[in-house]
Amino acid sequence: MPSDQQSEHSDQPVDELDAKLLLLLTDEPRLGVLECSRRLGVARGTVQARLDRLVERGVLTGFPPAVDLGAMGYGLTAFATVEIAQGRRAEVCEGLAAISEVCEVHATTGQGDLFVRMVARSNADLQRVVDHIVDVPHVRRLSTSIALSTPVPPRVRPLLERVKGRPPK
Amino acid sequence: MPSDQQSEHSDQPVDELDAKLLLLLTDEPRLGVLECSRRLGVARGTVQARLDRLVERGVLTGFPPAVDLGAMGYGLTAFATVEIAQGRRAEVCEGLAAISEVCEVHATTGQGDLFVRMVARSNADLQRVVDHIVDVPHVRRLSTSIALSTPVPPRVRPLLERVKGRPPK
DNA sequence: AATTCACAGGACAATTTGTATAGTGATCTA
DNA sequence: TAGATCACTATACAAATTGTCCTGTGAATT
């Protein structure tokens, strides 16, 4: 028997209405609860309840402002694979986190390596950032590659759209 | 009374007040214009104008709902480096975009390769997704690694915070 | 010196939100 | 099978917020 669960059966974390709501908000995030209810053809209370539950379940974590770093002057995005000294991940991550231009770090399988996404204002600036990373203690090797384009920008949409296809009985 | 005085160089896409506003919204994205103006100690019209200008300049692109894929059942995140046949990038990207689990694709320097971020429900599911990718025409080689943890989740904060420090050098 | 800008501060109507309450059908439970 | 729940519709109302428009004041630009 699995661990704790309030209603382990039927309930998938997100049903079709939830998905529709999330898709609607994806397209027009500033919509209010009332407007959402109108668009979805349900009562306002329902939308309110759904939203609350999505937040409760941790599915919807918020509505952070999407800032275009390019428009802010950081026109370059680069990825780096970082090889580090065994057992020093925490320290290295701390060092990386201290670098403003480091926008994301993942620990990945492979050889206990880290994967880093960073931005820079120019090639020269990227050089500086890379040097900064290399200077982080316990960083052994750094392999950088620059993003030339982003054919598929970060998205969740398809996953949400697929929920629609679920047996709405 | 202390008024603003550093707007002479309209070159900077984001000034300190803009950054503060974005940071505030980063922390509490559902705040309304009025509440923002109170927190920042400026007039409501100012906040409204700033927000409009940020959108105009393309810095603020919206407030998309942040969906936690983990909470939705996609507990696995993986990255893949994809080697493709010369000159087939567009086709391959199209094929990748058609896979729901593919959440992001970048074309990178290196060897005209692609970098892919994807999610899956389980290891078995990941296998399926990977197979799917390999099946995309013109995909030559695929090197996958799983994200074990995310020491630094996607962030913009440090870059915004730095704006506060006035024209650096 | 004149003009333009960004911002503070205020005013007003229309809309939205926060919160309740009642009614209905479907599902779960003892 | 008779309750008890649960999710949703439909309403209601006060309080708060939004969309606009205006005035006045410094500071920067011309």
Side-chain angles (χ1 to χ4, degrees), chain B residues 119-158:
Chain B
V119 296
R121 294 180 179 281
S122 64
N123 283 60
D125 193 40
L126 179 59
Q127 181 66 260
R128 185 181 59 75
V129 175
V130 168
D131 288 348
H132 230 290
I133 293 180
V134 174
D135 277 348
V136 171
H138 305 301
V139 163
R140 283 284 156 73
R141 212 177 84 78
L142 187 62
S143 168
T144 307
S145 68
I146 295 177
L148 300 172
S149 68
T150 302
V152 178
R155 62 175 193 177
V156 181
R157 187 164 246 295

Side-chain angles (χ1 to χ4, degrees), chain B residues 4 7 17 41-44 46 49-50 53:
Chain B
D4 207 86
S7 51
L17 181 55
V42 299
R44 178 164 69 112
T46 303
R50 292 300 186 127
R53 258 175 292 163

Side-chain angles (χ1 to χ4, degrees), chain B residues 53-163:
Chain B
R53 258 175 292 163
L54 284 172
V55 172
E56 244 179 89
R57 291 180 204 145
V59 175
L60 178 60
T61 62
F63 294 83
V67 175
D68 184 327
L69 292 179
M72 262 187 68
Y74 295 90
L76 259 175
T77 294
F79 299 100
T81 301
V82 184
E83 241 172 71
I84 63 178
Q86 284 277 2
R88 303 300 196 158
R89 199 180 61 238
E91 291 151 83
V92 173
C93 286
E94 210 175 300
L96 293 176
I99 302 171
S100 306
E101 287 87 352
V102 169
C103 293
E104 196 175 345
V105 176
H106 297 272
T108 65
T109 58
Q111 39 277 338
D113 286 346
L114 298 177
F115 182 72
V116 176
R117 179 168 62 86
M118 58 191 140
V119 296
R121 294 180 179 281
S122 64
N123 283 60
D125 193 40
L126 179 59
Q127 181 66 260
R128 185 181 59 75
V129 175
V130 168
D131 288 348
H132 230 290
I133 293 180
V134 174
D135 277 348
V136 171
H138 305 301
V139 163
R140 283 284 156 73
R141 212 177 84 78
L142 187 62
S143 168
T144 307
S145 68
I146 295 177
L148 300 172
S149 68
T150 302
V152 178
R155 62 175 193 177
V156 181
R157 187 164 246 295
L159 258 16
L160 287 175
E161 274 166 353
R162 209 161 53 171
V163 177

Side-chain angles (χ1 to χ4, degrees), chain A residues 120-154:
Chain A
R121 294 180 180 279
S122 63
N123 283 60
D125 193 40
L126 179 59
Q127 181 66 261
R128 187 182 56 76
V129 176
V130 168
D131 288 347
H132 229 289
I133 293 180
V134 174
D135 277 348
V136 171
H138 305 300
V139 163
R140 285 283 155 74
R141 213 179 83 77
L142 186 62
S143 168
T144 306
S145 66
I146 296 177
L148 300 173
S149 69
T150 302
V152 178

Side-chain angles (χ1 to χ4, degrees), chain A residues 2 39 42 88 98 108 128:
Chain A
R39 305 274 185 107
V42 298
R88 303 300 196 156
T108 65
R128 187 182 56 76

Side-chain angles (χ1 to χ4, degrees), chain B residues 36-49:
Chain B
C36 286
S37 74
R38 279 196 282 252
R39 306 272 187 107
L40 296 175
V42 299
R44 178 164 69 112
T46 303
V47 171
Q48 229 143 16

Side-chain angles (χ1 to χ4, degrees), chain A residues 6-163:
Chain A
Q6 39 231 343
S7 59
E8 85 286 64
H9 98 313
S10 78
D11 274 24
Q12 43 182 157
V14 174
D15 73 359
E16 184 175 341
L17 181 56
D18 288 324
K20 275 184 181 167
L21 179 56
L22 288 174
L23 282 170
L24 179 59
L25 286 169
T26 299
D27 293 332
E28 307 189 56
R30 267 331 222 184
L31 288 187
V33 174
L34 184 57
E35 186 55 27
C36 285
S37 74
R38 280 196 282 252
R39 305 274 185 107
L40 296 174
V42 298
R44 176 163 71 115
T46 303
V47 171
Q48 229 143 17
R50 292 299 187 127
L51 242 26
D52 288 346
R53 258 175 292 162
L54 284 172
V55 171
E56 239 179 278
R57 292 182 204 142
V59 175
L60 178 59
T61 61
F63 293 81
V67 175
D68 184 326
L69 291 179
M72 263 187 66
Y74 296 89
L76 259 175
T77 294
F79 299 100
T81 300
V82 184
E83 240 172 73
I84 64 177
Q86 284 279 1
R88 303 300 196 156
R89 198 180 61 239
E91 291 151 83
V92 173
C93 286
E94 211 175 301
L96 293 176
I99 303 171
S100 306
E101 287 87 351
V102 169
C103 294
E104 195 176 346
V105 176
H106 297 271
T108 65
T109 59
Q111 40 278 337
D113 287 346
L114 298 177
F115 181 72
V116 176
R117 179 168 63 87
M118 58 190 141
V119 296
R121 294 180 180 279
S122 63
N123 283 60
D125 193 40
L126 179 59
Q127 181 66 261
R128 187 182 56 76
V129 176
V130 168
D131 288 347
H132 229 289
I133 293 180
V134 174
D135 277 348
V136 171
H138 305 300
V139 163
R140 285 283 155 74
R141 213 179 83 77
L142 186 62
S143 168
T144 306
S145 66
I146 296 177
L148 300 173
S149 69
T150 302
V152 178
R155 63 175 193 177
V156 181
R157 190 163 242 294
L159 257 16
L160 288 175
E161 273 165 354
R162 208 158 57 169
V163 177

